Amino acid sequence: MKLLATPFLIFITVSYCFAQTGQITGIIHEKQGTSIPYVTVTVRSNTESPVAAGISDTKGAFRLENIPAGNYTISYNLIGFQAISKPLQAHPNEVINLGTIVLEPDTKLLQEVNVTAQRSSVSLKLDKKVFEVGKDVVSQSGAVTDLLNIVPSVSVSPGGTISLRGNSRVLVLVDGRRTGLTQNNALEQLPADQVERIEVITNPSSRFDAAGSAGIINIILKKNKKAGFSGQLRLVGGIPNETRISPSLSYKSNRINLFATYGLRLSDYVGLYTMQQSAGRSGTPVYLNQRQDEDRHDDARLLYFGADFQINDHNTITAAFMRNSTNDHDKTRLSYSYSGKNSVLDSSLSRSGESWEKRSYNQLEFNYTKTFEKAGKKLTVDMQYDFWDSDKDWNLSTSKILPVTTTFPMIRTNSFGKSKDLMIKTDMVQPLDSTSTLEFGLKMEDRRVNSDFIAEQQNTASWEIIDGIDNHLLYKELIGSAYIQFSGKTGAFGYQAGLRGELTHIGIDDRAGNYTNQKNYNRLFPTLNISYRFNAAANLQASYSKRINRPRLGMLYPFNELTDLSTRYVGNPDLNPSYANVFELAFLKNWKTFTFNPSIYHQRNNGVIEDYTFRDANGLLITMPVNINKETRTGFELSLLYNPFKWLQANAELNVYHYKEQGSYQNQNFDYSGNTLTTRLSSQLKFKNKLSFQAVYNFRGANATAQTRTDALHSIDLGLSKTFWKDKATLTLDVSNLFELRKFNTRTIGSDYEINQTSIPNAARYRLTLVYRFNQKDNQAVRQAKSGNRD
């Protein structure tokens, strides 16, 4: 409370000192009635000196306070619209309501804006880095995961794992909230051209959940601003097979906005995994050469529709429904070759696996937003209900080839899960004066997950349970949170300080009574952001936040598939969350053609979750997540953007960091330190007749832990696009993982074993994409659910 006492006193004093001053309010619209946000409103005296200035909010409303009595000129300015200036007379203690001010588009300026919007840009806000999506080739053809792979600091693995600065402990949001679009690789189904910007928040403010020790990636979708019907159709064909059909449609009037998106995806993936394993080196050694060929086929359907209804100028409600269903059919072929001391082959086996999995993720969302006469004041209420289910069957047949042909009993497994998740939150934004704002809010989330798993082996007459693997697990999670946050500015300084409290109760119960566990995590999470603006083109920012990294459900489930004869991954119900203290100093400088953005960061993590690999009594290699003592990470990051000509843009990114882990689990010592780096180079060429070419090179340096070393990783992606039919259509040809360079080589060493693995989850992929738009500008897309307080 000491932190907030001073601002409140300042607010009271300021209110008293300006008791004889007036206020000016109004709403700014386009000619057809659409509100215009971010318009600069300036009040000047007869000497042209500015008396007050402000910016209209997302509803087009503005409010200027502390206006002394006198005669003035008020002006409205926004690029792309004709500026307006009008005389104004203010009286003591008077609130002047100017009503609705209509701005008309400036055709010449709009043409200039469309040209400059061709390139992506990076800006540094008080608590985040914003990547504005331009017309990159990848934005025209790929999915959101492809777009994330060119965002500074962000990377996506072939398996869909999203990392920030090489750290996968990141929270991914869409329009500021958790959504089914981030579950089960659903972002693969969302076209990249529906993204307006991506916010990289390495030190989130207290208004966000404290989850994600690496930070938050917030994906902001485009909003439809054009009245009437508009939409687009997106068709994709690829090799290996990738067929996508994604129609989108919206209708907008003064009071209502309807939107709908449908996505159909049929995809095939070819994977290759090899492993060389040696065990028992201190006694009788056993060597294993293993090869796994994988053919995966995914059918996915995404449906998303809803409506925004503007009750009046200050009250809006949004309701939307999303359903993401998938039907996967995978085939796996494994071969095992065993040899002894002199590497002489003594036996070999083969295993064939086939799986069928159906998943359905459903989400209902509701948002109520209320604005007030006072510009910037806003109340929002969000409710979200998620429910999903998953059903997966595996059939496994195994046979020995050498020394004697033998057929083993058939094995089958079934896993079934379902979840219900209810979230309710409310947020209030209360401007105290023209330079300071108070925010506070409450949130409750209740989650319940049921999971069944059974493994059976066929005998002569029927099926019998394998190793007692037949159980049911219930996971319950209740999180209550509240936050308060104060922000303001004094001259060139901007500041934001907040405190979030989260009360978490977790319960894990199973039918057999083997994993019963009840845990409570009650923590405070402070945040602080300070910025100094040297001028319009240069900004310095320092920030701190405390974060929590809760284990994912897959890390907690003790059930495991039996696909591989030699290795298994097993969850750990006893896992605890880890906590991180994150410090960062960042600088951003923009020249006319060059952007320079270096950052220095330091993270201290306690209770870090690390994978632990060991051999059990039967010689099977088990990998499970465990908590170790701590990890520190100190790094330097540099992002460069060079745009010397309208036809050329080049990006470069470097992230180098030192890390140190300390801790032990059972007999394994996890103490280790090392250095690693990642870099990304990207260039885009724009030729005549709206023809564009883009190339992206990614490099991730080698890194290691006490048990495992991962070699460096390279990848190249290319794209070529052409826009035609008066900007209504774009045709794009792109290739990802060119030359199939994206290979994961890892080496894991234990006290009596060594494993060398090479993984190629996806082959090179070639795609041809056609996007057709109607009643849209080239840089617009269909409306998604109202952002409310989520942007």
Side-chain angles (χ1 to χ4, degrees):
M1 295 305 296
K2 292 182 179 179
L3 182 65
L4 297 177
T6 302
F8 275 119
L9 290 175
I10 293 175
F11 171 61
I12 294 172
T13 305
V14 170
S15 300
Y16 176 79
C17 292
F18 289 93
Q20 300 300 313
T21 59
Q23 300 176 0
I24 302 172
T25 64
I27 298 176
I28 305 174
H29 280 182
E30 292 186 62
K31 199 169 185 178
Q32 66 267 34
T34 305
S35 60
I36 309 178
Y38 314 124
V39 178
T40 301
V41 184
T42 307
V43 175
R44 298 181 183 275
S45 65
N46 293 332
T47 62
E48 292 297 315
S49 299
V51 175
I55 298 176
S56 63
D57 63 15
T58 55
K59 293 289 187 180
F62 67 90
R63 185 184 187 92
L64 303 179
E65 300 177 332
N66 306 325
I67 310 297
N71 295 316
Y72 303 101
T73 298
I74 186 168
S75 61
Y76 311 91
N77 295 274
L78 180 65
I79 293 177
F81 292 88
Q82 297 179 16
I84 295 179
S85 295
K86 293 183 178 181
L88 177 74
Q89 185 176 24
H91 300 284
N93 297 323
E94 181 183 18
V95 178
I96 304 174
N97 188 345
L98 298 176
T100 300
I101 298 93
V102 178
L103 297 188
E104 295 190 359
D106 188 312
T107 306
K108 181 179 179 181
L109 286 177
L110 278 177
Q111 291 172 350
E112 295 174 0
V113 169
N114 284 337
V115 172
T116 56
Q118 298 268 341
R119 71 181 181 92
S120 302
S121 62
V122 179
S123 60
L124 195 63
K125 300 297 180 65
L126 183 60
D127 60 347
K128 57 195 171 188
K129 184 189 295 184
V130 180
F131 180 81
E132 300 286 349
V133 178
K135 294 182 182 177
D136 306 86
V137 176
V138 70
S139 302
Q140 302 291 333
S141 61
V144 172
T145 48
D146 299 306
L147 180 61
L148 288 172
N149 252 331
I150 66 169
V151 174
S153 309
V154 182
S155 61
V156 184
S157 74
T161 301
I162 300 173
S163 299
L164 181 58
R165 289 175 172 168
N167 190 340
S168 62
R169 297 184 284 270
V170 60
L171 177 63
V172 181
L173 306 175
V174 175
D175 284 337
R177 72 199 194 284
R178 298 191 189 194
T179 169
L181 291 172
T182 62
Q183 306 293 323
N184 298 320
N185 292 334
L187 290 176
E188 280 275 357
Q189 297 171 243
L190 189 66
D193 60 5
Q194 293 197 17
V195 176
E196 178 178 295
R197 67 183 185 274
I198 294 176
E199 299 173 346
V200 178
I201 313 172
T202 51
N203 260 341
S205 67
S206 61
R207 77 166 69 93
F208 292 101
D209 289 342
S213 58
I216 293 174
I217 298 171
N218 188 20
I219 302 168
I220 304 298
L221 302 179
K222 292 178 180 177
K223 284 82 181 172
N224 180 40
K225 299 177 182 178
K226 196 172 183 66
F229 283 101
S230 61
Q232 72 174 31
L233 175 64
R234 186 169 181 263
L235 304 174
V236 180
I239 302 174
N241 174 50
E242 182 167 5
T243 304
R244 297 175 186 248
I245 303 174
S246 303
S248 300
L249 185 68
S250 68
Y251 172 77
K252 181 176 176 61
S253 65
N254 289 338
R255 292 295 183 188
I256 194 167
N257 182 32
L258 306 174
F259 52 90
T261 299
Y262 177 76
L264 171 66
R265 175 174 62 90
L266 308 175
S267 301
D268 292 330
Y269 302 90
V270 179
L272 173 63
Y273 309 84
T274 60
M275 179 176 67
Q276 294 79 43
Q277 180 187 134
S278 62
R281 291 179 297 175
S282 59
T284 303
V286 176
Y287 301 96
L288 168 63
N289 285 324
Q290 178 181 324
R291 176 188 173 103
Q292 178 178 347
D293 293 276
E294 190 175 61
D295 294 316
R296 308 192 307 275
H297 176 76
D298 297 349
D299 291 353
R301 289 167 176 80
L302 176 69
L303 176 64
Y304 188 40
F305 64 89
D308 303 322
F309 179 66
Q310 187 174 349
I311 302 172
N312 51 45
D313 290 341
H314 293 291
N315 295 275
T316 304
I317 60 173
T318 294
F321 172 74
M322 186 200 74
R323 178 181 176 86
N324 177 33
S325 59
T326 61
N327 191 349
D328 302 342
H329 183 197
D330 301 343
K331 295 181 180 180
T332 299
R333 299 177 303 279
L334 299 103
S335 60
Y336 303 83
S337 298
Y338 295 90
S339 56
K341 183 175 182 180
N342 298 318
S343 299
V344 176
L345 181 66
D346 56 28
S347 65
S348 63
L349 295 90
S350 68
R351 167 170 279 192
S352 296
E354 191 168 7
S355 70
W356 300 263
E357 181 174 16
K358 293 183 179 180
R359 292 189 299 265
S360 174
Y361 193 106
N362 306 275
Q363 182 180 86
L364 288 165
E365 60 175 296
F366 171 83
N367 169 264
Y368 167 71
T369 299
K370 179 178 178 58
T371 58
F372 299 83
E373 291 293 337
K374 185 171 185 176
K377 184 176 180 180
K378 181 168 62 173
L379 170 69
T380 58
V381 178
D382 286 279
M383 298 179 63
Q384 186 172 304
Y385 178 61
D386 301 344
F387 54 100
W388 61 258
D389 59 75
S390 173
D391 191 355
K392 184 173 184 178
D393 292 300
W394 261 107
N395 285 349
L396 299 165
S397 60
T398 309
S399 62
K400 179 180 286 189
I401 300 174
L402 290 173
V404 178
T405 302
T406 307
T407 300
F408 294 100
M410 177 75 71
I411 293 175
R412 68 183 186 187
T413 64
N414 173 261
S415 58
F416 176 80
K418 61 181 180 179
S419 171
K420 296 179 180 179
D421 188 346
L422 174 65
M423 184 277 293
I424 302 174
K425 62 176 293 193
T426 180
D427 298 87
M428 184 72 186
V429 180
Q430 174 67 63
L432 301 179
D433 54 35
S434 59
T435 62
S436 60
T437 302
L438 182 68
E439 298 177 56
F440 49 91
L442 299 169
K443 180 180 178 182
M444 184 279 294
E445 185 169 8
D446 182 56
R447 186 183 192 189
R448 293 173 180 268
V449 184
N450 288 274
S451 181
D452 287 281
F453 190 85
I454 185 172
E456 298 174 295
Q457 179 175 287
Q458 190 176 31
N459 58 27
T460 306
S462 60
W463 293 85
E464 60 183 17
I465 304 298
I466 301 175
D467 299 333
I469 304 177
D470 180 14
N471 209 343
H472 170 86
L473 193 76
L474 172 62
Y475 175 84
K476 296 176 292 184
E477 181 181 78
L478 179 64
I479 303 175
S481 59
Y483 76 92
I484 186 168
Q485 181 169 284
F486 177 78
S487 60
K489 61 181 180 179
T490 302
F493 281 98
Y495 50 89
Q496 183 184 78
L499 182 65
R500 186 180 189 90
E502 293 191 352
L503 310 179
T504 304
H505 172 75
I506 291 177
I508 301 176
D509 299 286
D510 74 315
R511 184 173 57 226
N514 298 325
Y515 309 107
T516 300
N517 205 344
Q518 304 288 325
K519 295 183 179 181
N520 295 292
Y521 312 126
N522 306 323
R523 294 289 190 278
L524 295 176
F525 300 92
T527 64
L528 177 65
N529 290 273
I530 302 173
S531 69
Y532 181 79
R533 190 179 181 89
F534 296 96
N535 50 52
N539 191 19
L540 180 68
Q541 178 179 306
S543 58
Y544 161 78
S545 70
K546 184 174 182 178
R547 314 290 299 161
I548 183 174
N549 181 52
R550 296 184 178 89
R552 299 187 303 271
L553 285 178
M555 294 180 173
L556 297 171
Y557 285 168
F559 313 138
N560 55 85
E561 293 179 349
L562 309 180
T563 309
D564 188 3
L565 285 170
S566 60
T567 62
R568 288 183 192 173
Y569 182 88
V570 180
N572 181 4
D574 293 326
L575 274 183
N576 291 315
S578 62
Y579 297 90
N581 290 280
V582 186
F583 304 83
E584 182 171 355
L585 181 66
F587 177 74
L588 179 71
K589 171 67 175 177
N590 284 306
W591 288 273
K592 186 175 181 180
T593 61
F594 185 66
T595 298
F596 177 66
N597 180 209
S599 303
I600 299 174
Y601 60 92
H602 177 74
Q603 296 181 5
R604 293 204 311 262
N605 303 283
N606 297 316
V608 178
I609 300 174
E610 185 66 81
D611 279 346
Y612 167 53
T613 301
F614 64 95
R615 290 184 70 205
D616 67 5
N618 298 318
L620 188 65
L621 287 164
I622 306 293
T623 299
M624 63 180 292
V626 298
N627 292 107
I628 63 173
N629 188 18
K630 63 180 180 179
E631 178 197 60
T632 58
R633 184 176 296 205
T634 303
F636 170 76
E637 184 178 57
L638 177 63
S639 296
L640 305 174
L641 173 64
Y642 185 46
N643 194 190
F645 311 105
K646 290 183 178 180
W647 53 268
L648 174 63
Q649 175 179 307
N651 300 65
E653 176 193 344
L654 172 70
N655 176 31
V656 56
Y657 58 90
H658 172 79
Y659 60 95
K660 182 178 181 180
E661 292 186 345
Q662 291 180 292
S664 61
Y665 184 83
Q666 295 184 356
N667 297 323
Q668 176 65 49
N669 187 339
F670 280 93
D671 291 356
Y672 191 86
S673 63
N675 303 289
T676 191
L677 66 88
T678 61
T679 187
R680 178 183 294 123
L681 302 175
S682 173
S683 64
Q684 183 167 211
L685 301 174
K686 296 178 181 178
F687 305 103
K688 293 181 179 180
N689 301 320
K690 298 190 176 180
L691 181 67
S692 299
F693 172 78
Q694 184 177 21
V696 181
Y697 169 73
N698 284 283
F699 172 79
R700 190 201 67 189
N703 62 84
T705 66
Q707 282 194 300
T708 302
R709 173 185 169 84
T710 303
D711 292 346
L713 181 69
H714 307 257
S715 67
I716 297 175
D717 301 326
L718 302 177
L720 182 68
S721 74
K722 166 70 175 175
T723 299
F724 52 98
W725 286 349
K726 297 181 179 181
D727 292 346
K728 291 183 178 180
T730 300
L731 187 66
T732 303
L733 174 65
D734 74 295
V735 55
S736 61
N737 194 20
L738 185 65
F739 307 127
E740 298 190 356
L741 297 176
R742 196 173 291 148
K743 299 179 181 180
F744 291 83
N745 296 308
T746 60
R747 181 186 183 191
T748 303
I749 299 177
S751 58
D752 197 30
Y753 67 87
E754 179 177 330
I755 307 171
N756 291 280
Q757 294 175 286
T758 299
S759 302
I760 310 175
N762 297 318
R765 184 172 295 274
Y766 302 84
R767 289 179 300 202
L768 185 65
T769 302
L770 174 65
V771 178
Y772 178 77
R773 295 168 285 270
F774 62 93
N775 200 25
Q776 282 188 327
K777 294 178 182 178
D778 190 26
N779 61 347
Q780 286 184 334
V782 296
R783 177 72 157 88
Q784 301 295 332
K786 178 178 174 55
S787 59
N789 68 322
R790 301 186 289 262
D791 60 355

